[in-house]
């Protein structure tokens, strides 16, 4: 177990993970480009869910490379990585069920978003967040759900539009589970 811990926090591995997450974040913002061009400015921070989650983790990695912790960012990272990692996997699997197919981009989203959730969990022992940090992340995340499903700013999956209410309900409970995961991690310190 000590070997895995040493490997996960090895400077070279953290730099590699940082590079991968920066590339994924940039790609994510590009993927959201068409939707962002139609988004009212007040909602812009809340629309690109997954790239913002990986951006939070980019800042966590930068902090760790500087031998420090930024607990508010850690809480935002863990909640959003778990939530949007799982959410995108489930939505793409739903696309597969509804349409009977999932192209290369869909499978790439399944793999990359699954990895987002896994990295959030793998790094749990290194977070230094407390209850108040998780509360702030919870407010951000639940507010984002309102922006998405009350104001209609959710990610655009046209082939799933008939399931918007059910997806909104699922998303709310996924937020609660992700917040609970962060809370459990925060109790370790």
């Amino acid at each position: 177990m000590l070997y895995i811990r040493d490997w996960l926090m090895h400077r070279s591995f953290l730099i590699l993970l940082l590079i991968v997450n920066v590339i994924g974040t940039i790609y994510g913002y590009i993927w959201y480009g068409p939707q962002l061009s139609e988004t009212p400015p007040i909602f812009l921070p809340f629309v690109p869910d997954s790239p913002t989650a990986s951006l939070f983790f980019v800042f966590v990695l930068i902090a760790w490379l500087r031998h420090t912790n930024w607990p508010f960012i850690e809480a935002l990272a863990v909640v959003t990585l778990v939530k949007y990692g799982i959410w995108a996997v489930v939505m793409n699997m739903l696309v597969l069920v509804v349409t009977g197919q999932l192209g290369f981009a869909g499978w790439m989203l399944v793999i990359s978003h699954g990895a987002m959730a896994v990295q959030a969990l793998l790094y749990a022992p290194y977070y230094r967040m407390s209850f108040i940090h998780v509360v702030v992340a919870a407010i951000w995340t639940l507010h984002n759900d309102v922006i998405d499903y009350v104001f209609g700013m959710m990610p655009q999956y046209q082939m799933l539009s008939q399931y918007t209410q059910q997806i909104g309900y699922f998303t709310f409970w996924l937020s609660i589970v992700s917040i609970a995961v962060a809370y459990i991690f925060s109790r370790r310190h």
Side-chain angles (χ1 to χ4, degrees):
M1 189 66 156
L2 185 59
Y3 175 74
I4 292 172
R5 181 181 171 105
D6 291 340
W7 182 68
L8 286 173
M9 290 305 282
H10 191 276
R11 185 168 185 79
S12 297
F13 188 74
L14 290 176
I15 291 170
L16 176 63
L17 199 56
L18 176 64
I19 292 166
V20 167
N21 275 273
V22 166
I23 291 168
T25 300
I26 292 168
Y27 174 81
Y29 282 114
I30 292 168
W31 187 87
Y32 271 95
Q35 184 173 354
L36 291 173
S37 69
E38 300 171 1
T39 299
I42 194 167
F43 297 132
L44 284 174
F46 301 100
V47 170
D49 299 324
S50 296
T52 301
S54 60
L55 181 63
F56 290 143
F57 195 62
V58 163
F59 287 123
V60 168
L61 292 168
I62 289 169
W64 289 344
L65 287 166
R66 297 178 67 207
H67 305 290
T68 190
N69 288 80
W70 295 333
F72 281 112
I73 303 297
E74 289 174 358
L76 285 164
V78 70
V79 170
T80 58
L81 286 172
V82 169
K83 176 186 175 181
Y84 298 116
I86 293 170
W87 188 92
V89 170
V90 170
M91 290 308 109
N92 280 284
M93 291 296 98
L94 187 55
V95 167
L96 178 61
V97 168
V98 168
T99 68
Q101 60 183 351
L102 191 62
F104 174 79
W107 287 112
M108 186 269 306
L109 289 171
V110 167
I111 292 166
S112 62
H113 285 72
M116 284 170 53
V118 168
Q119 74 184 356
L121 300 175
L122 279 176
Y123 282 94
Y126 308 102
Y127 303 132
R128 298 293 174 253
M129 60 194 172
S130 68
F131 177 75
I132 191 65
H133 304 123
V134 174
V135 168
V136 170
I139 291 167
W140 170 279
T141 303
L142 294 171
H143 177 71
N144 193 33
D145 288 347
V146 171
I147 299 299
D148 281 357
Y149 294 96
V150 173
F151 293 97
M153 298 292 128
M154 66 290 238
Q156 297 173 354
Y157 278 80
Q158 298 304 329
M159 67 288 293
L160 300 178
S161 61
Q162 65 186 358
Y163 303 105
T164 300
Q165 289 180 333
Q166 294 88 344
I167 292 169
Y169 185 74
F170 165 75
T171 302
F172 168 77
W173 284 108
L174 183 57
S175 293
I176 298 301
V177 168
S178 300
I179 293 162
V181 166
Y183 174 73
I184 291 166
F185 291 156
S186 76
R187 302 294 296 156
R188 298 173 137 194
H189 302 288

